[in-house]
Amino acid sequence: GAVVSQHPSWVICKSGTSVKIECRSLDFQATTMFWYRQFPKQSLMLMATSNEGSKATYEQGVEKDKFLINHASLTLSTLTVTSAHPEDSSFYICSAQRSGRRETQYFGPGTRLLVL
Amino acid sequence: AQKVTQAQTEISVVEKEDVTLDCVYETRDTTYYLFWYKQPPSGELVFLIRRNSFDEQNEISGRYSWNFQKSTSSFNFTITASQVVDSAVYFCALSEANAGNMLTFGGGTRLMVKP
């Protein structure tokens, strides 16, 4: 159990377009989901914490108007990269905490974004 | 503030050698969790282990073993008789109960196992 999916797995887009990434918990309810970004040969950096039904909490240095997060249900959170630029090219990974079991995060397979 | 340090950025070994990946952490919380994840070239994070701060027992799972020492704030990971398939980036991570269990990752250690 505890499977998290992400869609799409790969995105290539032109500079200036917006890209939406979905994160779904397939077999459990997730009150809280997290979004991470990982640049090549670097570690995962937390971008924001997404709580179902409320506004996301962004980490310092992450532009909330650029990275729009919506967590409208207990199984789905979306990250929209608005007006993407080449420097936004990265590996985006989401994770989900099972409701009532906060000690473990279950990770999605990640989404590779390439902005040309 | 929580912090995780993996001093070894890259390790290269020959197949069948044993290898230990170091992890040192900092936290002010008394209740926390430590994790190890494996990230193969595909990018997906593979969960290996979770340890809570009240359980210092070492753990062995097949060729993998973990040594948790609160006295030195370390949670080291040893692979015995390494195999080429063990080649990956390994991340140590920490979460604090008082911080909503947000994960802080170490910088990662890239392990290359050569045949």
Side-chain angles (χ1 to χ4, degrees):
Chain A
V3 178
V4 176
S5 70
Q6 274 185 248
H7 178 79
S9 55
W10 266 99
V11 182
I12 301 175
C13 68
K14 292 181 179 179
S15 185
T17 58
S18 293
V19 176
K20 180 187 280 189
I21 302 170
E22 292 184 350
C23 177
R24 292 183 186 273
S25 55
L26 298 185
D27 52 0
F28 66 98
Q29 293 187 330
T31 309
T32 303
M33 290 184 171
F34 301 89
W35 287 96
Y36 296 85
R37 181 168 50 182
Q38 185 182 29
F39 292 110
K41 297 196 175 184
Q42 293 188 23
S43 187
L44 282 77
M45 297 301 296
L46 180 65
M47 298 175 67
T49 303
S50 165
N51 289 297
E52 187 264 338
S54 64
K55 289 184 179 179
T57 303
Y58 290 82
E59 295 300 300
Q60 196 170 10
V62 178
E63 299 172 56
K64 62 180 180 181
D65 294 331
K66 180 167 185 63
F67 298 99
L68 301 179
I69 291 173
N70 184 280
H71 192 162
S73 80
L74 285 172
T75 58
L76 173 64
S77 175
T78 60
L79 168 67
T80 301
V81 184
T82 61
S83 188
H85 290 286
E87 57 266 28
D88 299 322
S89 299
S90 187
F91 189 49
Y92 292 87
I93 307 174
C94 74
S95 70
Q97 272 182 349
R98 191 193 293 264
S99 299
R101 295 281 305 274
R102 296 171 63 193
E103 69 275 11
T104 299
Q105 294 180 27
Y106 300 94
F107 284 85
T111 297
R112 295 193 186 278
L113 171 63
L114 176 62
V115 185
L116 301 176
Chain B
Q2 54 193 63
K3 184 178 177 182
V4 178
T5 302
Q6 294 178 253
Q8 307 145 307
T9 53
E10 278 194 17
I11 300 176
S12 181
V13 299
V14 177
E15 211 171 14
K16 297 184 183 176
E17 284 185 14
D18 298 348
V19 59
T20 296
L21 310 182
D22 298 333
C23 174
V24 175
Y25 62 94
E26 293 177 29
T27 177
R28 294 180 184 173
D29 208 340
T30 55
T31 304
Y32 55 90
Y33 300 91
L34 293 162
F35 302 80
W36 274 96
Y37 290 91
K38 175 182 180 179
Q39 188 177 43
S42 63
E44 184 164 1
L45 281 178
V46 178
F47 168 82
L48 296 178
I49 191 171
R50 183 189 77 220
R51 249 311 173 244
N52 74 56
S53 52
F54 300 108
D55 183 1
E56 276 193 82
Q57 275 197 340
N58 292 329
E59 179 151 341
I60 298 175
S61 176
R63 295 184 297 108
Y64 295 170
S65 62
W66 291 269
N67 184 350
F68 178 24
Q69 303 234 337
K70 287 177 79 169
S71 60
T72 55
S73 296
S74 65
F75 186 44
N76 297 338
F77 171 33
T78 297
I79 301 175
T80 304
S82 60
Q83 299 176 1
V84 173
V85 293
D86 296 327
S87 298
V89 180
Y90 291 85
F91 290 99
C92 179
L94 165 73
S95 71
E96 295 173 333
N98 285 336
N101 287 305
M102 290 194 308
L103 275 172
T104 295
F105 284 86
T109 298
R110 182 175 300 273
L111 174 65
M112 291 172 287
V113 182
K114 299 178 181 177

